[in-house]
Amino acid sequence: MRKIILSAFNVVCCLVLFSCTSDSEHKCERLTDTISVPSGRPLCPGVNVTAESGYSIGGRLTSWRTTSGDMTVEHLAGTTGSHLIHFYWSPAPGHWQAQDLTLLTEYSIIGNVTAWVTPDGPYTVEHIAGCDLEGRLLVFYRSTRDDQWKIVDVTEKTGRYVFSGFTSWQTPNGPYNVEHVAARDADGRLLVFWWSPAHDWQVVDVTAKTGYIISSDITSWQIRRDPFLYEYLAATSSANGRIIVFSWTPEHDWRAQETWYVSSDGATPWLVGDVEHLAGVGTDGTLFVLWRHGTEWWRRVDITDITGERVEGRPTSYQLMDGEERVELLGARSPDGHALVFWWKPSRDWQAMDLTEISCCPISTPPESWVTDSGAGRSSEHLAAVDVNGDVRVFYSYDQPRTMTDQIGETYRSISRMRNTQRKVLVVLWDPHYPGIPQSPEADIIDALFGSSNSMRNYFLENSGGTFIIQNTGVLGWYDAPLPLEYYDNPDDPHDKAGGALRAANPDFNFAAYDNDGDGTLEPHELAIVFAHPGGGSAGGGLVRTGGREVRDLDGSPLVLDGVLIRECVEVAIGDPIPNFGVVVHELSHLLLGLPDMYFTFFTPTAPGIYSIMDQHWNRTHIDEFNKLKLGWAHPRLIFRFGQYSVPDIETRHRVLVLVDPSRSMTEYFLIANRWPGMSYDAMLPDEGLAVWHIMEEAADYDAALPPPTVDMTKWGMLGSGDGAWGRKAIRMIRPILTSPFNDGRALWETAEGDLVSDEPDLEKPALRWGDGTPSGFTLRNISTPNPDMELTIDVP
């Protein structure tokens, strides 16, 4: 077979992927285009291995590393047609080279392969295993002793033929190193081959021992549970698509455990200490992770539900250190050919970024991954895959977009991530007898706050994507105030209604039982208390007692019940007579989530209005995108390249686009989200389309920023500065209409609104300007009509 030689190929695949036009100054020109960032390094450098080496492949790659003196040599292998190609790179000569091992050895290989490295005294031996057209298992190996590739026909030695699914691993056996290769044959039987210096190649039919036929590639891992080393394999059952975990130890022969979880292409393993992980892909493209500690049953995490990304084909896994934290990463291919990277670390739930959007290079195969030491304590991560033109591509050192995504989601002031969180809520109903205002029925209040639908509890579940759960600790009352209303509302001698309400409930509730840390103070994260009284009409009203306005007993002293100090609670007028859970959501969002008030007492076009419950709570629409982002309830996608982007609705798929210029600042940026009411709590929105927000996290920026157009300067100045103003000054909505106080019906962007540019000279018109009034360089064009999957074209600086 002739060697495949291609001329250097500058990536223009974005012309298909992003519908770039030839006259755009932002079109992608090459994979290694440098996007300006403070470090001066490209955000996602890459290399066309085919252009450098002259060889291409047609399937999935495998990787390994060796050393040559003090240099690390990186290796890849894959097949094209029936030829096995070996790619390799080292700092000298600094570019990828390749060998056609089929031409060198006259042995053919088809399909995917596996590779491993073993020591041989002072020498190193590299191995690549796969099968030929006849199903013979062949092992190619090369020793630094003579640097010659040689072949062993394992099928000739064992009598067993194979089809695909290769994985390899090594284990010690006394003084010997045992090399293993697992594969499946044409009937789906799982076979394990092994070799050691004491024995030539042998084989065991694991299917014959366990009864399971498999339909996917196989993966392997080992873990020591004293005193034995456990060997594991994972694959998909051909009977029902479930992940099967096979195990062998010196204590017992091969066994199999059938999990409950279906995966279309087996599972990818990794270890963190003694915690085992398996990443699988559901038949609908859902990426999930199973994990267990010791002999526990596997637990499941839905990464697609967290990040909004679906994948195709088995992912690849790797790990690296980020400061003091270990980061666990997965690389995968999306159904539309995008190279995706997912990551998790102790301080963050799963996040995702799209390397194809950054590099303009789609891929046609699931990627392979590895990590190398790049010096100065930094690790260089790599993904290798075949692009849509059949070229081998390597993405590397793409840590910057990952760490920038982390930075955008960092805790901001009082808002921290609230994923996988439960909070207990106690409601106390107390009536001070406002004239003519009846009590709402207790059953209606319970249903409005904790019901399975159309309730406060369900509202938080929808906004958080099911990750913030309110637990009903009790609804107590109604209790009657023992003294006349004038006693509590006397401006000359006020008495705390909240203190009176909680004291009335004390005989029916043990507050001390919820002081989990035993410090004598009942904090909201231990138990959030809602004191509700009648009144407030449809809007209600509320007050969070915090800081200098602590809950007080009737005599003005600190409130201590059951021996614990209670300093904070939520006070709400629950409705007249129909309960309104929106006001409770608003006030609990202060108490439990740290969200700010965002309403104004005067007109400003930047006010969220009905587009955030932290402004208008009576319609019970969603929390705004910025607060969701900081809570970890919205999946950020940073935009670095010109292109056409899809924006799924944030109500159900929780995606938000982030427009940030890292060369300027990471604390001032724009957010774009698709507000599609559908059947969600946003059904009351008067408009549909893209919500656009201008965010300034630093007080110095939002205090110095120009006030919004048409705003009364005197009133704007009354907002104050610094910490006290951030909820209103730092989070600004950009509406198409700036001049009318009644603009909630034209607050979102779609085709009819035209483009949103950055260089609009008329300050009375909306624009993507920075706080100091300078154009940002971003433009939103070709915005689609409202729908659950809106599209737009984004120009970048």
Side-chain angles (χ1 to χ4, degrees):
M1 179 179 179
R2 66 181 179 87
K3 182 168 68 172
I4 303 172
I5 302 178
L6 298 179
S7 61
F9 174 71
N10 289 337
V11 179
V12 293
C13 48
C14 60
L15 296 174
V16 176
L17 177 64
F18 293 144
S19 301
C20 297
T21 57
S22 60
D23 61 349
S24 170
E25 63 179 350
H26 297 295
K27 70 179 180 179
C28 301
E29 294 183 350
R30 54 181 61 85
L31 183 64
T32 54
D33 275 350
T34 299
I35 301 175
S36 179
V37 291
S39 70
R41 292 191 291 119
L43 284 176
C44 183
V47 60
N48 185 328
V49 176
T50 295
E52 290 194 357
S53 68
Y55 288 88
S56 183
I57 68 164
R60 187 164 187 159
L61 293 150
T62 191
S63 67
W64 69 99
R65 264 78 55 216
T66 59
T67 58
S68 176
D70 59 354
M71 297 186 297
T72 297
V73 183
E74 302 168 40
H75 302 263
L76 291 169
T79 60
T80 178
S82 59
H83 283 233
L84 175 61
I85 309 299
H86 166 225
F87 304 91
Y88 54 98
W89 180 95
S90 71
H95 64 267
W96 285 91
Q97 302 176 77
Q99 299 172 300
D100 186 332
L101 300 190
T102 295
L103 289 179
L104 290 176
T105 64
E106 299 184 353
Y107 281 83
S108 298
I109 290 290
I110 62 170
N112 297 337
V113 295
T114 185
W116 68 100
V117 179
T118 61
D120 179 19
Y123 305 107
T124 298
V125 185
E126 302 165 72
H127 305 75
I128 307 171
C131 66
D132 65 10
L133 286 167
E134 297 176 357
R136 293 184 300 166
L137 174 59
L138 303 176
V139 175
F140 294 68
Y141 66 97
R142 176 180 67 172
S143 172
T144 53
R145 184 190 302 267
D146 56 14
D147 201 33
Q148 297 295 313
W149 284 101
K150 302 174 183 178
I151 301 293
V152 58
D153 186 335
V154 178
T155 293
E156 183 179 41
K157 295 176 179 291
T158 62
R160 299 303 295 260
Y161 288 81
V162 295
F163 176 71
S164 64
F166 301 101
T167 187
S168 55
W169 69 101
Q170 302 171 57
T171 58
N173 182 17
Y176 303 119
N177 182 59
V178 184
E179 302 168 38
H180 303 74
V181 175
R184 62 186 173 107
D185 68 11
D187 297 321
R189 304 181 73 85
L190 173 57
L191 305 177
V192 172
F193 302 83
W194 77 95
W195 177 94
S196 80
H199 299 282
D200 205 350
W201 284 97
Q202 301 178 69
V203 64
V204 59
D205 187 331
V206 177
T207 293
K209 295 178 179 291
T210 63
Y212 281 98
I213 301 293
I214 62 173
S215 59
S216 73
D217 283 354
I218 308 154
T219 54
S220 57
W221 71 101
Q222 303 85 50
I223 187 169
R224 181 166 293 281
R225 297 193 179 99
D226 289 336
F228 301 116
L229 181 68
Y230 284 65
E231 300 173 46
Y232 288 101
L233 301 174
T236 294
S237 166
S238 62
N240 53 26
R242 292 177 178 172
I243 296 174
I244 308 298
V245 177
F246 302 87
S247 64
W248 183 92
T249 75
E251 286 186 300
H252 62 72
D253 205 349
W254 284 101
R255 297 178 180 177
Q257 176 193 57
E258 180 176 335
T259 73
W260 291 104
Y261 309 106
V262 173
S263 180
S264 60
D265 194 17
T268 299
W270 74 95
L271 296 172
V272 179
D274 58 355
V275 179
E276 300 166 83
H277 302 75
L278 289 173
V281 180
T283 54
D284 62 350
T286 296
L287 175 63
F288 61 87
V289 168
L290 309 181
W291 64 277
R292 70 179 179 183
H293 184 272
T295 58
E296 297 173 351
W297 182 248
W298 295 98
R299 306 181 197 181
R300 184 179 186 271
V301 177
D302 190 329
I303 300 180
T304 293
D305 187 54
I306 297 171
T307 65
E309 297 288 356
R310 296 187 184 276
V311 304
E312 188 175 85
R314 183 169 51 83
T316 181
S317 68
Y318 61 102
Q319 301 175 49
L320 49 79
M321 295 302 296
D322 182 5
E324 298 298 319
E325 291 188 297
R326 178 172 294 277
V327 187
E328 302 167 41
L329 303 102
L330 294 171
R333 177 184 181 272
S334 74
D336 55 355
H338 285 221
L340 305 176
V341 174
F342 303 82
W343 70 97
W344 180 96
K345 58 184 182 180
S347 64
R348 296 293 172 89
D349 208 343
W350 285 96
Q351 300 192 87
M353 65 180 179
D354 190 326
L355 295 187
T356 293
E357 285 185 353
I358 300 172
S359 67
C360 283
C361 185
I363 59 175
S364 62
T365 64
E368 169 72 352
S369 64
W370 69 97
V371 177
T372 59
D373 183 1
S374 58
R378 291 183 57 249
S379 296
S380 179
E381 47 200 307
H382 301 72
L383 278 187
V386 179
D387 71 13
V388 293
N389 298 291
D391 291 359
V392 178
R393 298 280 180 174
V394 173
F395 308 91
Y396 63 93
S397 296
Y398 42 81
D399 56 295
Q400 291 183 103
R402 174 170 52 79
T403 55
M404 289 176 188
T405 302
D406 281 343
Q407 187 174 345
I408 287 292
E410 285 180 353
T411 294
Y412 180 65
R413 297 184 182 273
S414 56
I415 311 174
S416 58
R417 297 174 73 84
M418 286 288 178
R419 295 193 61 83
N420 305 316
T421 304
Q422 297 185 2
R423 290 291 182 261
K424 298 179 175 66
V425 174
L426 171 70
V427 180
V428 176
L429 308 177
W430 188 78
D431 191 354
H433 305 296
Y434 289 103
I437 301 178
Q439 298 174 357
S440 300
E442 180 185 353
D444 290 353
I445 294 174
I446 293 173
D447 189 55
L449 299 184
F450 303 108
S452 59
S453 62
N454 196 30
S455 68
M456 173 193 71
R457 181 181 187 276
N458 188 253
Y459 174 94
F460 279 119
L461 285 173
E462 180 176 292
N463 273 256
S464 68
T467 68
F468 186 75
I469 301 171
I470 294 293
Q471 292 183 329
N472 179 7
T473 306
V475 178
L476 308 178
W478 288 94
Y479 299 104
D480 285 320
L483 296 169
L485 178 63
E486 293 77 15
Y487 176 78
Y488 304 99
D489 282 351
N490 183 347
D492 298 323
D493 186 21
H495 297 87
D496 199 329
K497 292 190 291 291
L502 301 192
R503 185 161 287 286
N506 189 209
D508 300 322
F509 192 83
N510 181 6
F511 291 96
Y514 293 86
D515 181 19
N516 298 328
D517 58 10
D519 67 350
T521 299
L522 191 59
E523 303 287 353
H525 68 270
E526 296 172 315
L527 180 70
I529 303 171
V530 176
F531 150 50
H533 56 72
S538 62
L543 171 69
V544 177
R545 306 261 180 173
T546 57
R549 301 196 62 184
E550 296 180 348
V551 175
R552 294 290 174 174
D553 212 336
L554 291 176
D555 62 1
S557 63
L559 181 64
V560 178
L561 300 175
D562 301 319
V564 296
L565 174 65
I566 301 175
R567 297 185 302 187
E568 300 174 90
C569 78
V570 166
E571 178 184 340
V572 297
I574 197 64
D576 177 19
I578 300 173
N580 185 327
F581 70 77
V583 65
V584 185
V585 167
H586 178 100
E587 300 301 337
L588 277 181
S589 293
H590 288 312
L591 187 69
L592 294 178
L593 306 178
L595 305 193
D597 278 322
M598 298 174 68
Y599 53 79
F600 289 80
T601 59
F602 57 89
F603 168 70
T604 170
T606 61
I610 197 172
Y611 297 93
S612 178
I613 203 165
M614 301 315 296
D615 186 339
Q616 297 181 12
H617 56 68
W618 47 90
N619 287 306
R620 300 169 294 187
T621 51
H622 271 229
I623 295 169
D624 60 275
E625 285 68 42
F626 173 76
N627 284 310
K628 282 186 179 181
L629 177 67
K630 292 301 183 179
L631 290 167
W633 299 356
H635 319 311
R637 175 59 54 78
L638 276 62
I639 304 301
F640 298 106
R641 290 277 190 185
F642 163 87
Q644 183 178 352
Y645 292 88
S646 177
V647 193
D649 69 286
I650 194 167
E651 289 84 357
T652 65
R653 286 172 287 176
H654 313 284
R655 171 70 58 77
V656 59
L657 303 188
V658 183
L659 306 184
V660 60
D661 183 351
S663 66
R664 183 182 188 278
S665 171
M666 286 298 296
T667 59
E668 185 175 6
Y669 47 89
F670 302 96
L671 299 180
I672 304 171
N674 179 2
R675 298 295 287 265
W676 175 255
M679 301 299 292
S680 71
Y681 287 102
D682 267 351
M684 293 297 292
L685 290 181
D687 199 8
E688 302 168 344
L690 299 181
V692 182
W693 303 84
H694 179 195
I695 308 300
M696 291 172 280
E697 295 189 10
E698 297 293 337
D701 290 331
Y702 62 71
D703 281 339
L706 299 174
T710 75
V711 170
D712 185 302
M713 295 293 292
T714 301
K715 292 180 179 179
W716 186 259
M718 293 173 61
L719 293 176
S721 61
D723 293 349
W726 69 271
R728 296 174 173 90
K729 282 187 168 183
I731 310 166
R732 302 187 184 187
M733 193 172 193
I734 303 178
R735 287 172 159 81
I737 303 297
L738 302 182
T739 56
S740 170
F742 309 102
N743 61 7
D744 272 346
R746 299 226 10 223
L748 305 179
W749 292 82
E750 48 111 346
T751 302
E753 305 296 350
D755 298 342
L756 178 55
V757 302
S758 67
D759 56 356
E760 170 58 57
D762 187 349
L763 295 181
E764 299 296 306
K765 294 182 179 180
L768 294 173
R769 304 183 187 93
W770 298 124
D772 61 9
T774 59
S776 67
F778 293 104
T779 295
L780 311 185
R781 299 187 293 106
N782 305 324
I783 305 173
S784 69
T785 56
N787 65 80
D789 290 280
M790 291 189 67
E791 292 188 346
L792 77 161
T793 300
I794 301 177
D795 293 341
V796 301

